[in-house]
Structures are given as structure tokens and as C-alpha cells.
Amino acid sequence: LKTLELTDLWCVLGAGPKGLTMTQVAVGVGMPGLEWKVWGDHLVVRDLGCRFAVSAPLSKPSVSVTVLGTMEIEGVPLEVGASTAGGLSLFARLGADQTLPLTKVLRRFDPKAVVPGELTISRLDLMLQRESLAMTMGLADTPEPWTIRVGKATVTLADLTLDYACEQGSRPTGSFSGTAKIGKDITLSM
């Protein structure tokens, strides 16, 4: 760490029967050039900044820390936040117009992952707590939907969500949900 930058400083005042009280005080600090490896070399947070907040600073102080930054998955930047409120947890989301290739994302965490086809992630919510990683991925129906031949019929899977979980040092698990369309007349929720 070569430099620190004060990015913000603020306090919250409340008015009550006893007059003004300070309910919270916080300071934001930028840490340019610092990296945080949160899941080995698979997930690295860059452009770090921290916000240190003290609630009830003059009566019953309690401190929370929020870390903000960016992380890239397959060259796509994700905004990242981590908080100590309720235990350390990290969360990241894919931007509204961003997509990721499902195969590359899954194989990043498990090189032996069996992927059903060239599907695209259009929504990603990532949560990391201690040694546990969970991702919920919404899969786009374009450029190509996931189709399966069953006898003479074709089943088209749509509106898919993949819930994916992994414990550090273990093989990941996942399950799909969505709809299965058989021909033009039959639609099943799965």
C-alpha cells in the first residue's frame, strides 16, 4: 500500500427531546493499487475503498466496515461490496447490459465442469461468506436457447436460473430452474 485517499467524511445528526445527537459518523478511504484475493486467484477485488462507520458514537458505539471495489470475471467488470454487518460477506452483481459466457465462468471454479451448451449469463448475483461461494445466474434465451432432443420432439428450456454453490476445496454443485417447452402446446415449470 503506497497511498491512502480520504474520499468522504460525514456524520448524521438526529433531533429529539434532548436536542441534537450524533447518530453516526463515517469516513471513506481509497486505497489505490491494493488488491484483495477473496477466492484464491479466481476472484480478486481491485480499486479498493473502505468506509468505516460508527453508529451511536457518543453513547453505545458500534463499528461497521464496508469495502468497495471492482472485480473482473472473463474481462467483464463487476461492482463489489463487502460488509462486516452480521459477519463478513461479499457481494457482486453483473451490470444491466453485461453478459458472461456460462462455460468460462463455471470452468473458472471447476475445470472439469460439464456445461450443457454455449449459454450466456445475463444476470449474476454473487455472494461470498467465509469459505462458501454462492452464485445465482439468470441465463439468456439468446443467442441460442438450450434445446434437448427427446425422441422426435425438441424440448426448449427457457427463463433459466442456475443456483451454484461451492465450498473452498470442494467440487461445486448447481441446480437449474425455469420452463421446459415441448412443441407449441406444452410448457412445464421445472
Side-chain angles (χ1 to χ4, degrees):
L1 182 64
K2 295 180 182 177
T3 61
L4 292 176
E5 299 172 349
L6 180 62
T7 58
D8 60 297
L9 176 63
W10 52 276
C11 70
V12 178
L13 300 175
K18 296 182 180 181
L20 288 178
T21 58
M22 187 180 304
T23 59
Q24 190 174 56
V25 63
V27 61
V29 178
M31 297 173 270
L34 188 62
E35 293 184 349
W36 178 23
K37 292 184 177 187
V38 295
W39 192 269
D41 290 330
H42 300 296
L43 299 175
V44 179
V45 182
R46 294 179 174 84
D47 305 321
L48 288 169
C50 278
R51 178 169 293 130
F52 302 92
V54 182
S55 296
L58 302 176
S59 56
K60 294 182 179 179
S62 78
V63 178
S64 65
V65 179
T66 302
V67 178
L68 303 169
T70 58
M71 168 175 46
E72 282 191 10
I73 295 181
E74 297 304 320
V76 177
L78 285 78
E79 294 297 317
V80 176
S83 176
T84 60
L88 180 64
S89 59
L90 178 134
F91 49 91
R93 287 207 167 94
L94 191 59
D97 295 328
Q98 297 172 310
T99 61
L100 289 166
L102 179 64
T103 301
K104 288 185 178 182
V105 171
L106 295 185
R107 291 201 175 134
R108 179 182 203 125
F109 299 99
D110 181 7
K112 297 178 183 177
V114 177
V115 184
E118 292 301 320
L119 302 174
T120 302
I121 300 168
S122 58
R123 182 180 52 83
L124 170 68
D125 295 319
L126 181 145
M127 176 70 114
L128 180 67
Q129 292 181 312
R130 296 185 186 223
E131 304 290 316
S132 176
L133 170 71
M135 291 188 283
T136 298
M137 296 170 260
L139 304 178
D141 292 335
T142 58
E144 294 184 30
W146 182 11
T147 58
I148 302 170
R149 292 285 301 159
V150 180
K152 294 181 181 181
T154 299
V155 178
T156 302
L157 303 173
D159 304 319
L160 290 174
T161 298
L162 171 58
D163 290 313
Y164 183 86
C166 186
E167 297 288 327
Q168 191 87 34
S170 299
R171 293 281 317 266
T173 60
S175 62
F176 287 97
S177 61
T179 59
K181 297 176 184 175
I182 305 169
K184 294 180 182 179
D185 299 323
I186 301 173
T187 300
L188 304 171
S189 292
M190 50 177 219

